[in-house]
Amino acid sequence: TTLLNCISTIDKASSGHIYINNNDITKLSSKKIAKFRREELGFIFQDFNLLDTLTAYENIALALTICKINYGEINKRLNIKDILNKYPYEMSGGQKQRVAAARAIITNPSLILADEPTGALDSKSAKVLLESMEKLNKDLNATIMMVTHDAFTASYADRILFIKDGKIFNELIKGNDSRNKFFDRIIDVITLLGGDVRDVC
């Protein structure tokens, strides 16, 4: 979470540099930081962060007040057309998170930051969301950086960095492995860590 906060400029890095699209975001002015967040980043949070008084469509439309982008195609990809007129209290956890994902990608950001996106979901909803995110990554070429402590969630990624005590402990690249085989490799690394995984990106 600290890493994501630094990348999103919510927290300021105490040392070092962060480059996104060849731009050092640690040197941006406050005015440019706001523009960077608005145009370059999308966010998916564990607790959804939807506004209860707005429908799914209105929550997504908030991101479109500045950038006029057609939402139709993305709605189809995320399978949320049937819940666009529902309020958050009328949705399941999985539906809320799919709306949050649609909101995150609607402006075609350079990077989508996902902080434990399946943490509040049951296993079925988590699987649906992860498959949707996997599809976004492949079909829309969306770059997604996800933080999770869950090996099953991590197995949907193409590349994993294991972080322990603030440092990179190991790296795994899926390559041509099946998801099940990749999951087994993840468990092997977790075993090396003594079962103590601080963060997986």
Side-chain angles (χ1 to χ4, degrees), residues 2 4 7 13 23-24 28 40 45 57 82 84 99-101 107 117 131 134 137 167 183:
T2 301
L4 291 191
I7 292 172
N23 293 317
D24 184 355
L28 295 178
E40 302 292 336
F45 302 96
Y57 171 77
D82 58 329
L84 283 178
V99 171
T107 56
E131 288 172 350
E134 189 176 41
N137 172 252
K167 296 181 179 179
F183 176 82

Side-chain angles (χ1 to χ4, degrees), residues 105 107 138 141 152 184:
I105 66 167
T107 56
K138 290 180 168 57
N141 200 29
F152 174 79
D184 291 339

Side-chain angles (χ1 to χ4, degrees), residues 14-145:
S14 56
S15 63
H17 300 273
I18 301 170
Y19 291 90
I20 296 179
N21 282 344
N22 296 318
N23 293 317
D24 184 355
I25 64 172
T26 61
K27 294 186 176 181
L28 295 178
S29 65
S30 56
K31 186 176 181 180
K32 288 185 177 179
I33 283 175
K35 184 175 185 290
F36 165 74
R37 286 182 189 157
R38 184 176 65 245
E39 297 180 359
E40 302 292 336
L41 297 181
F43 297 90
I44 304 175
F45 302 96
Q46 179 177 342
D47 56 358
F48 320 127
N49 282 7
L50 299 177
L51 296 177
D52 292 333
T53 56
L54 301 181
T55 64
Y57 171 77
E58 291 167 337
N59 268 282
I60 297 168
L62 282 177
L64 299 174
T65 54
I66 297 175
C67 306
K68 295 180 180 179
I69 300 173
N70 188 305
Y71 65 88
E73 185 62 24
I74 292 175
N75 292 337
K76 292 174 188 175
R77 291 175 188 273
L78 283 174
N79 193 27
I80 62 169
K81 193 173 182 180
D82 58 329
I83 58 172
L84 283 178
N85 293 320
K86 289 186 177 181
Y87 289 90
Y89 70 87
E90 298 175 305
M91 303 178 209
S92 67
Q95 289 172 330
K96 289 178 187 177
Q97 199 60 297
R98 291 203 298 281
V99 171
R103 182 185 58 189
I105 66 167
I106 198 73
T107 56
N108 295 318
S110 301
L111 178 63
I112 297 169
L113 302 175
D115 189 2
E116 293 280 4
T118 61
L121 304 180
D122 59 48
S123 58
K124 182 180 179 181
S125 296
K127 186 173 184 291
V128 170
L129 176 69
L130 290 167
E131 288 172 350
S132 295
M133 291 173 66
E134 189 176 41
K135 187 174 177 63
L136 290 175
N137 172 252
K138 290 180 168 57
D139 294 355
L140 299 183
N141 200 29
T143 300
I144 302 170
M145 183 174 184

Side-chain angles (χ1 to χ4, degrees), residues 148-167:
T148 182
H149 293 82
D150 179 56
F152 174 79
T153 299
S155 70
Y156 279 82
D158 291 325
R159 179 188 179 204
I160 299 174
L161 297 175
F162 293 84
I163 298 175
K164 184 175 183 181
D165 300 327
K167 296 181 179 179

